[in-house]
Amino acid sequence: SQTIHQWPATLVQPVGSPLSLECTVEGTSNPNLYWYRQAAGRGLQLLFYSVGIGQISSEVPQNLSASRPQDRQFILSSKKLLLSDSGFYLCAWSQGWLSYEQYFGPGTRLTVT
Amino acid sequence: SQKIEQNSEALNIQEGKTATLTCNYTNYSPAYLQWYRQDPGRGPVFLLLIRENEKEKRKERLKVTFDTTLKQSLFHITASQPADSATYLCALGFTGGFKTIFGAGTRLFVKA
């Protein structure tokens, strides 16, 4: 069966510090991968998605970036965090053209102070 | 402008009753619509997907309808239980399959 891992679970970082969140998927190959952010009481905002290694599409211009160095690894980064980057970050995968449903990881709660 | 709206207020119902949640959208033409359940502090869990050419979909106690003329989906939970208490998110999907637009969700409380 497939599983998706995210770490860390929680993170408190000062403004201006760098960020690296990691997501890995097991039990599948060539998944579509997604990064979302969820602000309190709001819907999920799609940040990036990837259909293959090295292929990243950005939905919202901001100080975040994403990379996919391996088939089942997706990384979200920032060089300098802003207060507005605080939120609940979720990684998800879907099986490409076979199905549209997305499977989410446990999330990372980021607080920028 | 483009919008996807779900009941912003929480829905409180008595155990055993049917819960009905609404998802309305404006200026989108989705190819399919999905419903997810999210518990506090956790990632959403996929429940049901309905395509634009389908009127209704069922899975156990869950039923989803999709009216592309009204631009609305209704999500029903029959014989609701306290364990159904959660936030329910609707999400629009489009041809190509990658970009998904999520609503803010509706909190459901089922009282025993």
Side-chain angles (χ1 to χ4, degrees), chain A residues 4 6 22-23 25 39-40 51 53 58 67 79 89 91 109 111:
Chain A
I4 178 168
Q6 275 187 255
E22 190 163 341
C23 170
V25 180
V51 300
I53 295 174
S58 173
S67 62
K79 292 182 179 178
Y89 287 80
C91 180
R109 176 76 59 190
T111 303

Side-chain angles (χ1 to χ4, degrees), chain A residues 32 34 36 38 41-44 46 49 51 59 88 90 94 96-97 100-106 109, chain B residues 32 34 36 38 41-46 49 51 89 94-105:
Chain A
N32 294 330
Y34 309 82
Y36 290 90
Q38 186 175 35
R42 302 186 68 176
L44 278 66
L46 179 62
Y49 66 87
V51 300
E59 285 296 305
F88 191 43
L90 289 155
S94 67
W97 302 107
Y100 295 124
E101 55 259 39
Q102 295 181 26
Y103 299 93
F104 286 81
R109 176 76 59 190
Chain B
Y32 58 93
Q34 302 180 65
Y36 290 79
Q38 186 175 24
R42 309 193 71 166
V45 174
F46 171 77
L49 179 150
R51 299 177 189 274
L89 307 172
F94 305 91
T95 303
F98 304 124
K99 184 171 181 176
T100 306
I101 309 295
F102 279 83

